[in-house]
Amino acid sequence: MALTLRTDAELERVLAALAEKEGLSRQEIIRRAVLERYERAGHRERVDDSTERMLERWGDVLGRLGRA
C-alpha cells in the first residue's frame, strides 16, 4: 500500500539522522513511530480503565485511609 507523506526541512533532517544512527530506512523509522504511538495510546486507555475499576472497588477504603 502506498502513502505520500509531506515533510518539512526539520522532519527530513530528523528522519535522516535517525535512519543513519539506527541503520534503518526513513520508512521504517516512521512505521515504528506510528506503531509505538498506537501501542502507547492503547496502554493509556487500559490504565485508565483499570484505575476506574479499582476506584469503584476500593474508593471508600482509600477515602478512609486518606482521612486517617
Side-chain angles (χ1 to χ4, degrees):
M1 185 177 298
L3 171 73
T4 300
L5 175 68
R6 292 196 167 103
T7 62
D8 58 19
E10 180 184 14
L11 183 55
E12 284 292 330
R13 179 183 56 76
V14 171
L15 279 173
L18 282 172
E20 183 176 337
K21 179 179 179 182
E22 297 184 17
L24 300 169
S25 67
R26 295 181 318 156
Q27 176 181 331
E28 184 63 17
I29 297 291
I30 294 168
R31 180 184 168 281
R32 289 181 182 192
V34 170
L35 291 173
E36 182 180 318
R37 175 71 186 264
Y38 178 77
E39 287 179 26
R40 278 190 305 195
H43 174 75
R44 183 70 204 162
E45 186 175 317
R46 289 188 304 274
V47 169
D48 289 345
D49 290 346
S50 178
T51 300
E52 188 174 321
R53 284 192 314 275
M54 291 300 108
L55 286 174
E56 287 174 7
R57 181 173 181 175
W58 300 104
D60 61 327
V61 173
L62 292 171
R64 285 181 288 174
L65 284 172
R67 290 188 296 271

